[in-house]
Amino acid sequence: MDLRKKLYQMFILGTEGGGYKKALENNLGGIIFFTQDIQNTEQFKDLVQECNNIANTKPFLSMDQEGGRVERTQNIHKGKKYLSAKYAYEKGLDFLAQQSDEISKELKYYGINLNFAPCIDVNTNLNNPIIGERSYSSNPDDVIKAEKVVSEVFRVNGIIPCAKHFPGHGEANKDSHLTLPEIDLSLEEMEKTHIKPFEACANKIEMIMVAHLYCKCFDKHELPASLSCNVISYLRNNIGFKGIIISDDMIMKSVAKFGTIEAIDMGIRAGLNMFIYRNSDSETINAIETIAKKAQNDLVLTKNIENSFKVIMDVKSKKL
């Protein structure tokens, strides 16, 4: 397989912009679906199947279905909602397992194979504008218990779990959709609380999402964790995670300011295996093509694309 097609495997794109069909023909790694993609059950099943049929390599077919305010099936459920992580966990592990079973079986019915959950941030900042009830608890040990239950139920039902948002979004005081939050905690404090749940699941979880956060303990100069070699190498070397390292949505304003091409270049060099873009417009597609051409004469890009391709295909061969 040529390098360009291996690079396309490193992307999960949304349908907005319409370029996703051609990208699937070019060996796109996956699709992420949002509320606007899901009008009713049969329509959505058909859309998922169409993506499967077009794809050259079996794609990740994904969404964010946490429960609570991060739930993409509102048009189907018509008012019925799953509980958010906090309230589901407060009802006990049996309830959490039951709800996770319902979520994962529903996703499997539509043809989804990857859920960007569980959210294993430890919500230590009560004024956190983005996590809040999306977190199981402000206690890392409770979060670890919850992750184990949710991820295992997902796996049993054929859904790949993705733990997020490394190295921990729980102390943030800003919304990373709008700006780059700054986390001013020592590495010791991060390890004791926020990194702890990721370390606990690192030897089993298939995928970890890296946050668009600036963690001062990892980098002296302002840089999102998602593009930080220090953060990603810590996840690989200190924690020993061998699965797929994926970015949060790359059109979030906390990272978009770097520019699409530059951000992709930085992410690959830092060791990211996959990128999420909620759209598949011409700007995103052109950026992938530009990086593909650049990589032909760049040994670091080539090596990292080849490495990421191996990691991605290892997970796909075992799980899809």
Side-chain angles (χ1 to χ4, degrees):
M1 187 181 293
D2 66 30
L3 193 65
R4 176 174 168 270
K5 288 188 174 180
K6 290 179 179 178
L7 176 63
Y8 265 94
Q9 269 298 302
M10 294 177 66
F11 291 83
I12 292 180
L13 305 182
T15 63
E16 189 177 338
Y20 70 99
K21 292 183 182 180
K22 183 66 175 173
L24 282 167
E25 292 174 3
N26 287 325
N27 211 40
L28 182 68
I31 300 289
I32 182 169
F33 300 101
F34 291 91
T35 305
Q36 64 266 27
D37 297 309
I38 308 168
Q39 299 306 316
N40 60 66
T41 301
E42 291 311 311
Q43 165 270 331
F44 184 47
K45 281 183 72 176
D46 289 345
L47 174 59
V48 174
Q49 188 57 50
E50 179 188 35
C51 292
N52 232 342
N53 293 341
I54 296 170
N56 271 336
T57 301
K58 194 160 178 61
F60 290 125
L61 298 162
S62 64
M63 68 167 79
D64 295 280
Q65 189 80 338
E66 299 173 18
R69 56 189 165 93
V70 181
E71 190 173 318
R72 307 304 187 202
T73 48
Q74 294 98 315
N75 294 328
I76 292 176
H77 290 174
K78 305 293 185 188
K80 174 187 179 289
K81 287 181 76 74
Y82 296 111
L83 292 184
S84 60
K86 177 180 187 291
Y87 299 117
Y89 182 72
E90 285 175 354
K91 281 182 166 284
L93 293 178
D94 287 344
F95 179 88
L96 184 63
Q98 179 188 334
Q99 176 168 285
S100 300
D101 188 60
E102 289 178 26
I103 290 173
S104 50
K105 282 178 176 172
E106 181 182 19
L107 295 185
K108 193 67 177 176
Y109 175 73
Y110 302 138
I112 297 297
N113 54 39
L114 167 63
N115 190 11
F116 293 115
C119 178
I120 61 171
D121 301 297
V122 182
N123 196 51
T124 53
N125 180 1
L126 296 180
N127 296 315
N128 195 319
I130 188 61
I131 300 301
E133 66 186 51
R134 295 171 65 191
S135 167
Y136 295 103
S137 174
S138 58
N139 182 320
D141 294 324
D142 289 334
V143 173
I144 288 167
K145 289 178 194 171
E147 182 281 325
K148 189 174 180 182
V149 168
V150 173
S151 294
E152 197 50 48
V153 171
F154 282 6
R155 287 187 194 100
V156 167
N157 289 322
I159 301 296
I160 299 167
C162 173
K164 60 187 187 185
H165 308 78
F166 186 82
H169 219 302
E171 186 60 24
N173 60 5
K174 293 177 182 175
D175 184 346
S176 53
H177 292 86
L178 306 175
T179 188
L180 183 65
E182 182 179 295
I183 307 296
D184 191 11
L185 296 176
S186 69
L187 181 58
E188 184 181 17
E189 289 174 299
M190 288 294 291
E191 288 174 332
K192 190 170 110 178
T193 303
H194 299 282
I195 292 174
K196 192 175 180 181
F198 294 95
E199 189 170 21
C201 70
N203 65 348
K204 194 160 188 184
I205 199 79
E206 294 82 350
M207 184 181 287
I208 290 178
M209 182 185 290
V210 186
H212 302 319
L213 295 168
Y214 169 44
C215 295
K216 295 176 81 172
C217 63
F218 283 106
D219 291 285
K220 290 181 181 178
H221 302 292
E222 187 176 273
L223 185 67
S226 51
L227 303 181
S228 168
C229 179
N230 293 335
V231 171
I232 292 170
S233 64
Y234 180 96
L235 183 51
R236 282 284 184 233
N237 301 323
N238 293 62
I239 290 182
F241 177 60
K242 293 182 170 59
I244 295 170
I245 302 176
I246 190 167
S247 75
D248 205 340
D249 191 345
M250 294 294 289
I251 70 160
M252 291 162 64
K253 290 183 180 175
S254 49
V255 71
K257 65 181 180 181
F258 289 92
T260 307
I261 294 170
E262 182 64 17
I264 294 171
D265 185 289
M266 291 169 68
I268 294 173
R269 291 181 194 279
L272 269 181
N273 303 128
M274 297 194 82
F275 299 83
I276 297 173
Y277 279 87
R278 70 163 52 230
N279 51 38
S280 52
D281 59 10
S282 58
E283 181 186 349
T284 306
I285 301 299
N286 290 340
I288 298 171
E289 294 288 352
T290 300
I291 293 292
K293 288 173 187 169
K294 184 177 181 181
Q296 299 293 340
N297 300 303
D298 190 309
L299 291 177
V300 175
L301 285 179
T302 297
K303 180 185 174 187
N304 287 8
I305 292 167
E306 294 279 4
N307 287 343
S308 289
F309 180 74
K310 288 175 186 173
V311 173
I312 295 162
M313 296 313 295
D314 181 60
V315 172
K316 284 189 172 184
S317 68
K318 293 172 182 173
K319 297 293 178 175
L320 299 187

